[in-house]
Structure formats: C-alpha cells, structure tokens
Amino acid sequence: MARGHAERRAAARSEPSDQPAPADPSDPFARSAPADPSDPSDRRAEPAALGSRSELPEVPQLGELGELADGESPAVLDAEQAGRDAAQEVAHEEDGLAPLPQDRFLDRERSWLAFNERVLELAEDENTPLLERANFLSIFASNLDEFFMVRVAGLKRRIATGVAIRSLTGRPPREVLEDIWSLARELLARQATCYQQVVNPLLAEQGIHLLRWPDLAEHEQTALFSLFRKRIFPVLTPLAVDPAHPFPYISGLSLNLAVVVRNPATGHRHFARVKVPPLLSRFLEVSPQRFVPVEDVIAAHLEELFPGMEVLAQHVFRVTRNEDLEVEEDDAENLLQALEKELLRRRFGPPVRLEVEESIDPEVLDLLVRELKIRREEVIAVPGPLDLTGLGSIAALDRPELKYPKFVAGTHRDLAEVESASPPDVFAALRSRDVLLHHPYDSFSTSVQAFLEQAAADPDVLAIKQTLYRTSGDSPIVDALIDAAESGKQVLVLVEIKARFDESANIKWARKLEQAGCHVVYGLVGLKTHCKLSLVVRQEGEELRRYAHVGTGNYHPKTARSYEDLGLLTADPAVGADLSDLFNRLSGYSRRDNYRRLLVAPRSLREGLVSRIGREIENHRAGRPAWVRIKVNSIVDEAVIDALYRASQAGVPVDVWVRGICALRPGVPGLSEHIRVRSVLGRFLEHSRLYAFADGGDPEVWLGSADLMHRNLDRRIEVLVRVADPGHRSTLTRLLATGTSDRTESWHLHSDGHWERHATDAEGEPLRRVQETLIEARRKRRGTGS
C-alpha cells in the first residue's frame, strides 16, 4: 500500500499541466511588492487576522528552570536599577575604600548561555551513559526555549518600548542581543552535531533507531500509513493561505509543516500550514525501539490532506514567542481572573525566534519571515529534526544499562532507625531532634510527604499552614491538605498562581483546595511567594506544639527524585513562632519584619547577608577564623557581589558554588583573587541554597529558598532559616567544602567569564563526583547495594 501511495504521489508531481498557467494573484510567493495600505486584499497592511483560527494556549512544561530567567515589567526594571544604584553607593562609599572597578561584573546573558553550554558538554561527554546523553540534549533544548521565551523576549521588549537599560557590563541591549544570537547559533550547531554524528549513531549500535521516513522498511511505512489514517489524519487541520484565508496564527513551540501545493488544472501554487498535534508522541515507535519523527509521517501523507492537488514541497518550522506575563495586581480579589485572562493573551505574544530546517526553500522562508513579521537575524536554520526536547521520551526507555545506575532513596535515619513497612512517626522524631533532609538522597515521600499526611490524619492536629509554588498534577501534598480540611482542621494554603509556566496548574489546584474548604490566599500584592514552608499546630496535653518544615525546593514529589534540595524539619518553638508570624503577614495585615531564626525577603534578607559578610571581614582583621561559602542557583545581585569583593580584598576566602548564572568575576588581582567559583552538573539538578559563615570559629549556616537575584531579594517572599544543630551545621559546611574542592569534578569560572571543566587530576585520574559520593554514602548507611 505504501509503495503505491508513493508512486501515485510521484506521478502526480511529474505530470505536466496542459498549458502555462496565468499569473495567480492568490499565489503567496508572488507578493513581494511593497504593501499597499489601501488594498484590503494585501494582508501585510494589517496584523494577521485571528478570528476562528485562533488556537488554544499551549503552556510549556519547563518546570523549575523557569527560575533562571527574569521578567521584564517596568517594576522589574525599576528594581534592577535600584539594586545597581545601591551597589554603586556601597562601591564608592563603604569604609572610604577605593571605588570598585566598573568592569567587575560578568554579563548575565552570556553566563546563562555558558550554563546551558555546560549541559551540552554532558551530552558530548563519552563518559556520560548513552540515554543520559540523549536526555541532556533534551534538557539543553528545553532550557534554550525558555531563555528565548523570557530573556530574549524581554530584551526585545525593552528595546521596542524605549525603556532599555544597559547590562551589568555596561553594554547596550542591542549589542547584548546580537551577542546572544551569535552564541546561540554556535551552541545549536554543536547540539545538532552531537545528535547527528555521535548520539544517534551510538543509539543505533545499541538497537535504538531514530530514523527518518526514507530509512524505514516498506512494511514499516505501510504500518504507519494505517496508523496515520486511524489516529493522526482525523486530528489534522490544514489551513490554506490566500485572500480568503489569512495566514494562521502559529502557537509558540508548536511544530508545523509549511506546505506548497499546486492545482494541476490551473498550475497555480498555494501555501498551507499543517500543525503537528501537540498531544501526539514526538517520536512514533513503528516497531520495537525503532522510531520516526511524527512530522515525517504527516509529511509522507500530505496528499491525503490535499486530495486532487500536487504536493510540491513541505518544510518543518517552529516559532518561539514571548511567553512572559504582565498582570496588574491593584485589585487582589480579582488576581485569579486577571491571570486567567493574561494566560489566554500569552499565546499571542510576539515571535522572537523562527527555527527551520537547513533544506527549507528560500521562497517558503521569505513567506514565513514576512507573515510572522520576524527579522532575518531571528531565523535559525539547523539540520533536522527540529525540537530535540522530544529526546526526553527516548531517554525514558527501559534500558537501565544505558543510564545512570538506579538509586532509590531511603527513609532518613533520624525518622526511622530501621526500614519497615510502617511509616515513620514524624512528630515523635521531631520532639527529640531536628531532622536535616537532603533530597533526593533522603526520601521525600517518607519525610516531607509523610509529615503532611500524618498531620492531615492526626486528630490532635488543629491547623496546617502551607505554601505551594509548584507541585505535581497528582500531588499527594494537595490531597493531604484537602483531607485535613474535610476532617475539620483549619487549613491555610498560600498558592503562588504566578509561578512561571505553572500558572494554569496552580489556578486549578487553588480552586480545588477552595472547594474542599481550605483557606486559599495568593500572597502579597506585587510580590511572588517563593518560600517553601509548612507549619503544623498540634494539641499535646494542655499545650499547643508547632512543627515546621523549611526547604529549598518545591513540594513536588516527582522533582524531589531528581532535584537536589535541602530541608529542615523541626519542632523548635522559635521557628514555629517565626512561621506563625510570617503566615499572618502573608494572609493578613501583619507588618512584622524581625524574626528569631529567619531572614525574610524583601525586608531583611539582603541586608542580613551583607552584614554577615562584613562580620567576616572584621573577624579576619582580628585574627579570628573567617570565610564565606555560598551555594545558589544564580548570583547576580550587585550589592551582595560587591560585599564579597570587599571580603576578598580584605583577605577573606570566599567559595561560591553556583549552578546557573554568575555575574561575579573571580580571580581578578586586587579585587577577587580570594574568590573561587565552581559549578556542578550531573544526574541530579543542583537546586539547594546554602549560606555559611565562619563566624570566628562557630560557623553560622542558613538554608532556604533565596537565590542572589534582584527578583529573589526585592520582589519575592523568600525565607532562610538558621540551622541550629551543631551536627547539621558541620554536615552542611562539609558539603560546601566538598562541592568547591579542587578534588571534586566541577567547572571552574575564570575571570574572563570562561568556564573550564575539571574532571581529572594531574595524573589523569577521575576526580570525585559529589553526587555519586553522596549516593554511595547513603547506600553504605543502609547496608544495601541499591
């Protein structure tokens, strides 16, 4: 069947028309003259009509990586400029010291692209298991999508609206944008080379074949024709482009086919767009572990969509749009409705990138550029297939020999001395000691999740207060809160419905919680609530006891298996009182700013960290032990960076362990020669935030939700909790020392912004991998090999 199908198509394409066709005014490729505003048929004179062709919004599931990009609203710009002004005051006035150099910061956009380059290096590394290499290619693609949707879109908007401010390095936004395009093209070329010349051939050697349509056997093409007719054809909608049919709206990140057809009777050419349905698998399995891109299957059967027409050409393309949100919060009561309206508007964000295959016909590309109103420099041509985020499904194949060795987290030893079928009694454990959790090495389900589930089921628990920033679609956390409310407990849930790319899901859970009787609030106007907090109030005899959890990661059971995070479970009265005060502020009108064991943004967190860095300078000058160790996802805030520079100038050793963006420039003589910056990437996403200070020999350690970025310190409710237990403080300072040690595999940041990977020592022996070291420690502790 497939062979006859192909032969009919070839015959139709080769059959000449009876006579030369007259010029066709509807030919989309013929419209190269300047637009005539007086001609209603020339649709370049006005925006493309949306009408009934508009599509449902598609919200990309990019998860926590949304924390790497910043919004670009006027309030954001004001906050960024205010932060820089404050840093300048510190730089010029503190202690009468000489002013810090103007070129002391690294470019944040370059730094972000360098982070994604490190992800790509893991895909290129032959020592990375093969399916993990495919997964890192998928992560790289997803990260870059988000970068363009938010950061590049924000730069374009700044330029277009005339509110552009210079970058940290003093460069104008247009220059930054040109730099981004150059670097992004280089990285995408490397990604394509890695996939086509390395990873795909190696997968084939292991019996996993990612093929294109011509590579399939005849019986496989026949099977896919049947699949196409039954499952794909009914959901396809070809959209023609002519004077009666405006150019259709192209939703962000969707795969599309640009199709050129010819009427054999008239010889006239026509353009149509066919969208690849997003619910279909990115790669279709035609036989065991033999896959083909779904767009190839659609392209091979286009004559089924255009019967009687000759299919002359088809080309795959993909558009990235501005996906950031702008929501007015003057009326907090209507925030939910305002956000829902903005989510519908998101799909109409202006395009910021057009991806095409290198083989695209120039005429088709001209048409896409013209109709999408995108500039040539915003077009990226790569070898197919487009959208390698789909490799994540290939990486999920059940081939354990091609992945990192399996690791199953166990119950923390302080919650259960011996593993058993019965869940640990979290409240009993916390009455005797604080519990320091390190996920995914410690099980989330038998610690944080068990804590909330036991609270929901315990008749002595009177109230539960909880923040939710992101959670899973089938969240046991949400279920526990609903159970608690339905059993008559007072349940307060602060749902951050503006969590980027999770807005729709969070609106859904907010309404579900409200319907169950939970008190749902959305935080403070103008601020995102990013802190990770749980508070349980329990009746114990004649007294009320408060139990708390403060963490660095979201209450998300699925990501807790792949994100590295820290958490503190405690029954300490000071922490309980602090959280009670903070929840009252979040749900009511309390203006309390001073806390016992917390630093809280936006009021006290930056100042608290800067003052502690200053204390280390004083300790060093007095001959007492002094050092600063920090672990964050990103460090951009100028005031904190300048405080670290001053510490380095005074001789205080500073170690920074950063996953993503770093604007701090280490190793500059006279400025930062005592500062080292390291980055660790691996099987788990390093996500925890830690701040440690020598404090004269009795180290002070803080953990929590805050990165060192403007949005975290100025526009979010963030919380750091001071770790009180000496053993826990020792554990965390050792963790920081291990991650920044020269004996640990990591990337080292140089003063020029270049990251250099250090994986072996001087003798060529592999360096210690911090994640594997922690996995092995947990296995030995449990006495198991898995």
Side-chain angles (χ1 to χ4, degrees):
M1 180 183 297
R3 173 178 290 178
H5 193 58
E7 288 173 350
R8 289 194 304 273
R9 180 169 68 252
R13 290 181 178 176
S14 61
E15 180 182 344
S17 58
D18 294 337
Q19 57 184 4
D24 182 5
S26 68
D27 185 348
F29 305 105
R31 290 182 290 151
S32 58
D36 180 0
S38 65
D39 182 359
S41 68
D42 192 331
R43 283 172 290 110
R44 289 173 297 156
E46 56 183 276
L50 297 171
S52 62
R53 301 275 189 187
S54 61
E55 300 164 1
L56 293 175
E58 296 168 5
V59 180
Q61 300 302 311
L62 297 175
E64 192 69 25
L65 290 172
E67 297 192 352
L68 287 175
D70 232 338
E72 306 297 335
S73 67
V76 170
L77 303 184
D78 292 343
E80 285 194 17
Q81 192 60 55
R84 296 178 188 182
D85 292 344
Q88 289 295 329
E89 291 179 10
V90 171
H92 288 277
E93 297 177 7
E94 184 179 345
D95 296 331
L97 298 174
L100 296 173
Q102 290 294 321
D103 62 350
R104 64 192 183 276
F105 301 116
L106 294 172
D107 184 273
R108 63 171 291 167
E109 272 71 29
R110 268 187 171 272
S111 184
W112 188 95
L113 289 169
F115 153 71
N116 213 26
E117 182 179 17
R118 299 196 291 279
V119 175
L120 183 57
E121 286 183 40
L122 290 174
E124 296 170 330
D125 185 355
E126 62 183 13
N127 294 315
T128 303
L130 184 54
L131 284 179
E132 305 293 351
R133 297 177 74 174
N135 194 45
F136 282 122
L137 285 174
S138 171
I139 293 170
F140 170 88
S142 179
N143 287 353
L144 202 59
D145 285 345
E146 180 180 334
F147 180 69
F148 275 92
M149 286 190 297
V150 178
R151 197 65 196 177
V152 174
L155 281 170
K156 286 190 64 178
R157 187 164 66 221
R158 288 183 178 192
I159 294 169
T161 56
V163 294
I165 61 175
R166 290 179 176 269
S167 70
L168 283 174
T169 56
R171 296 192 302 159
R174 288 189 183 278
E175 183 179 320
V176 173
L177 204 54
E178 291 170 1
D179 197 26
I180 287 172
W181 282 110
S182 175
L183 291 171
R185 283 192 171 86
E186 292 177 12
L187 292 176
L188 283 166
R190 280 176 56 183
Q191 181 201 30
T193 298
C194 180
Y195 170 73
Q196 294 199 328
Q197 299 182 17
V198 181
V199 171
N200 199 12
L202 289 174
L203 288 171
E205 291 178 9
Q206 296 297 325
I208 301 171
H209 298 273
L210 303 183
L211 307 166
R212 303 309 296 263
W213 181 262
D215 302 323
L216 298 174
E218 182 177 345
H219 72 277
E220 291 174 324
Q221 292 184 349
T222 301
L224 285 173
F225 176 68
S226 177
L227 175 71
F228 174 83
R229 293 302 304 268
K230 291 179 180 179
R231 293 179 48 197
I232 300 177
F233 177 82
V235 297
L236 296 179
T237 305
L239 299 177
V241 175
D242 57 36
H245 300 87
F247 190 86
Y249 181 80
I250 309 298
S251 51
L253 300 187
S254 64
L255 276 176
N256 302 270
L257 292 174
V259 184
V260 183
V261 299
R262 180 170 59 198
N263 186 327
T266 65
H268 294 163
R269 293 181 304 165
H270 303 277
F271 175 86
R273 172 266 195 150
V274 178
K275 179 181 178 179
V276 178
L279 296 181
L280 296 177
S281 298
R282 179 69 187 85
F283 293 94
L284 298 178
E285 188 170 21
V286 61
S287 57
Q289 298 197 1
R290 286 175 62 84
F291 301 87
V292 64
V294 63
E295 67 269 21
D296 280 18
V297 178
I298 296 173
H301 301 93
L302 286 173
E303 67 274 19
E304 299 292 324
L305 292 172
F306 303 97
M309 304 291 283
E310 300 174 28
V311 179
L312 300 178
Q314 58 79 22
H315 303 283
V316 181
F317 69 97
R318 187 170 181 255
V319 175
T320 308
R321 293 186 176 276
N322 181 340
E323 296 280 358
D324 214 7
L325 294 175
E326 296 284 349
V327 181
E328 293 295 333
E329 297 185 57
D330 292 339
D331 186 352
E333 291 296 322
N334 293 325
L335 179 58
L336 205 64
Q337 291 82 1
L339 187 65
E340 287 181 304
K341 183 184 297 184
E342 189 63 25
L343 282 170
L344 291 174
R345 194 181 307 155
R346 166 188 269 174
R347 67 188 184 191
F348 303 125
V352 296
R353 179 180 59 165
L354 171 62
E355 296 173 272
V356 298
E357 291 189 329
E358 289 177 341
S359 58
I360 191 169
D361 183 276
E363 280 192 310
V364 175
L365 180 58
D366 287 343
L367 183 143
L368 292 175
V369 168
R370 181 174 69 243
E371 293 289 353
L372 291 169
K373 297 178 175 60
I374 201 164
R375 296 180 303 190
R376 281 285 180 172
E377 58 266 30
E378 297 170 334
V379 178
I380 293 183
V382 297
L386 301 182
D387 187 17
L388 291 183
T389 60
L391 288 174
S393 63
I394 303 300
L397 290 173
D398 187 18
R399 294 288 300 272
E401 75 278 12
L402 302 178
K403 301 180 181 182
Y404 290 121
K406 186 176 181 180
F407 170 71
V408 178
T411 301
H412 191 286
R413 62 183 176 185
D414 289 341
L415 293 177
E417 296 291 340
V418 180
E419 299 269 4
S420 66
S422 60
D425 186 338
V426 180
F427 297 129
L430 296 185
R431 284 193 291 272
S432 62
R433 64 174 71 89
D434 288 356
V435 175
L436 177 67
L437 300 167
H438 197 182
H439 309 298
Y441 312 105
D442 298 318
S443 169
F444 180 88
S445 62
T446 59
S447 57
V448 179
Q449 182 179 323
F451 170 60
L452 290 168
E453 288 176 339
Q454 288 180 22
D458 190 337
D460 292 328
V461 168
L462 305 180
I464 302 175
K465 299 184 180 185
Q466 174 78 40
T467 63
L468 287 180
Y469 191 76
R470 303 182 200 273
T471 189
S472 59
D474 53 350
S475 173
I477 303 295
V478 172
D479 291 342
L481 296 171
I482 289 174
D483 290 344
E486 290 178 342
S487 66
K489 295 175 172 60
Q490 292 292 313
V491 179
L492 172 72
V493 186
L494 195 148
V495 179
E496 182 46 76
I497 57 173
K498 301 188 297 303
R500 179 174 290 137
F501 302 128
D502 274 343
E503 298 94 345
S504 294
N506 285 6
I507 289 173
K508 175 183 176 182
W509 296 124
R511 289 199 163 127
K512 183 176 180 180
L513 289 162
E514 284 180 325
Q515 291 167 1
C518 298
H519 301 294
V520 178
V521 295
Y522 307 114
L524 304 179
V525 172
L527 298 173
K528 279 188 181 182
T529 304
H530 188 248
C531 49
K532 326 297 183 183
L533 309 173
S534 295
L535 178 66
V536 172
V537 182
R538 190 170 188 266
Q539 183 76 50
E540 297 183 0
E542 298 298 319
E543 298 181 353
L544 293 180
R545 188 190 294 265
R546 287 175 285 206
Y547 299 84
H549 173 262
V550 180
T552 68
N554 299 303
Y555 293 93
H556 198 306
K558 291 182 179 178
T559 60
R561 295 193 289 268
S562 58
Y563 282 29
E564 179 271 343
D565 271 304
L566 291 159
L568 183 69
L569 283 167
T570 181
D572 181 87
V575 175
D578 279 348
L579 292 191
S580 291
D581 290 339
L582 180 56
F583 273 109
N584 287 340
R585 178 185 174 190
L586 294 175
S587 63
Y589 292 104
S590 169
R591 293 183 57 82
R592 185 183 185 96
D593 292 325
N594 56 323
Y595 298 90
R596 303 157 188 85
R597 276 182 60 185
L598 302 182
L599 290 176
V600 180
R603 295 296 180 91
S604 63
L605 207 154
R606 178 190 283 114
E607 293 77 3
L609 294 176
V610 169
S611 69
R612 283 163 175 80
I613 295 170
R615 188 177 62 196
E616 295 305 305
I617 296 175
E618 295 173 2
N619 286 334
H620 179 76
R621 289 171 176 167
R624 294 186 291 268
W627 45 255
V628 178
R629 295 174 185 159
I630 293 173
K631 182 179 187 293
V632 288
N633 293 292
S634 298
I635 174 168
V636 172
D637 187 75
E638 295 89 345
V640 176
I641 291 175
D642 282 350
L644 294 175
Y645 285 149
R646 291 302 190 194
S648 175
Q649 289 177 323
V652 177
V654 176
D655 283 323
V656 177
W657 178 354
V658 62
R659 185 187 85 221
I661 304 168
C662 181
L664 184 153
R665 190 189 295 273
V668 178
L671 175 69
S672 57
E673 65 262 48
H674 295 290
I675 300 178
R676 300 187 306 173
V677 179
R678 303 287 187 261
S679 183
V680 173
L681 279 76
R683 65 187 295 176
F684 304 134
L685 184 141
E686 294 289 329
H687 191 249
S688 62
R689 293 91 164 181
L690 272 174
Y691 302 86
F693 309 91
D695 197 19
D698 184 19
E700 183 177 302
V701 183
W702 299 77
L703 67 84
S705 58
D707 281 313
L708 296 176
M709 302 181 74
H710 305 117
R711 63 174 183 197
N712 299 98
L713 303 180
D714 296 318
R715 305 192 308 280
R716 288 183 172 183
I717 303 295
E718 302 276 14
V719 169
L720 299 181
V721 62
R722 180 170 52 80
V723 179
D725 184 275
H728 293 165
R729 285 185 278 137
S730 177
T731 296
L732 294 174
T733 54
R734 287 198 307 271
L735 173 65
L736 288 166
T738 300
T740 56
S741 169
D742 287 337
R743 297 193 300 274
T744 296
E745 179 180 318
S746 63
W747 280 262
H748 296 191
L749 178 61
H750 295 278
S751 59
D752 62 356
H754 170 68
W755 291 88
E756 180 183 6
R757 190 178 186 186
H758 288 249
T760 58
D761 61 18
E763 287 73 39
E765 294 298 316
L767 294 172
R768 167 183 55 199
R769 293 184 175 181
V770 64
Q771 295 182 353
E772 299 303 323
T773 299
L774 291 167
I775 287 174
E776 188 60 29
R778 290 305 193 278
R779 286 173 173 161
K780 288 180 178 178
R781 181 184 298 174
R782 302 206 310 265
T784 67
S786 62

